[in-house]
Structure formats: C-alpha cells, structure tokens
Amino acid sequence: MGHNRDTGYILAFGSNLKKIRTAKNLTQEELAHRCDLPLSQIGRFERGVRSPTLSTILILARGLKVEPKELLDFKFKM
C-alpha cells in the first residue's frame, strides 16, 4: 500500500507556519534555535516539502509561544 499525501494541506500548513513566525518577527534560524530543530527542516515545513509529526507541531508551537491548534487553524480548500 502506498502513502497518500495531501500536498495541498501540507502547503497550507507551511504557509500558516510562516505567517505565524513572521508575525512574531522571527527568522527561520531563530525559530529553529528555539525549537532545537535543523534550520533546513523549518524551511521544508514552510515550503510544504515535509509534513511535521504531531510531536513536532507541539515543539513548533512551544517555540512560537502559541497553542498547537493555531498552527492547524488555516483555510484549506478540499
């Protein structure tokens, strides 16, 4: 059985992550440092190249000082 990835949803998540990060005046590098994640991984999330796990969403939320649900609160056209 193959993996079914909804790239539109992943792109929407990445766009929302970037919107929240920039609203907090953080660079990708600053967020990566706060989250103890590789800088390249933040970029992959924001570009929609990679989908974060639930535990990574929690780490990102803590680094951004927001509730995890804010990272998932975006419009997505099905």
Side-chain angles (χ1 to χ4, degrees):
M1 182 188 320
H3 296 287
N4 184 9
R5 293 187 53 187
D6 193 329
T7 55
Y9 193 83
I10 296 167
L11 285 167
F13 173 87
S15 178
N16 192 47
L17 172 61
K18 182 176 182 177
K19 181 183 87 172
I20 294 169
R21 176 183 59 76
T22 57
K24 294 189 170 279
N25 295 314
L26 292 172
T27 65
Q28 287 184 347
E29 187 173 11
E30 289 167 329
L31 180 58
H33 179 72
R34 283 185 179 191
C35 296
D36 196 27
L37 293 171
L39 172 59
S40 60
Q41 192 169 13
I42 302 297
R44 286 192 296 266
F45 292 148
E46 289 188 0
R47 289 190 313 276
V49 174
R50 185 163 178 116
S51 178
T53 63
L54 288 174
S55 59
T56 301
I57 290 172
L58 180 60
I59 290 167
L60 290 167
R62 286 178 179 157
L64 291 165
K65 298 182 180 168
V66 298
E67 290 294 321
K69 66 182 179 180
E70 282 190 54
L71 289 171
L72 300 170
D73 187 19
F74 53 85
K75 302 287 184 206
F76 174 68
K77 197 172 195 177
M78 296 186 91

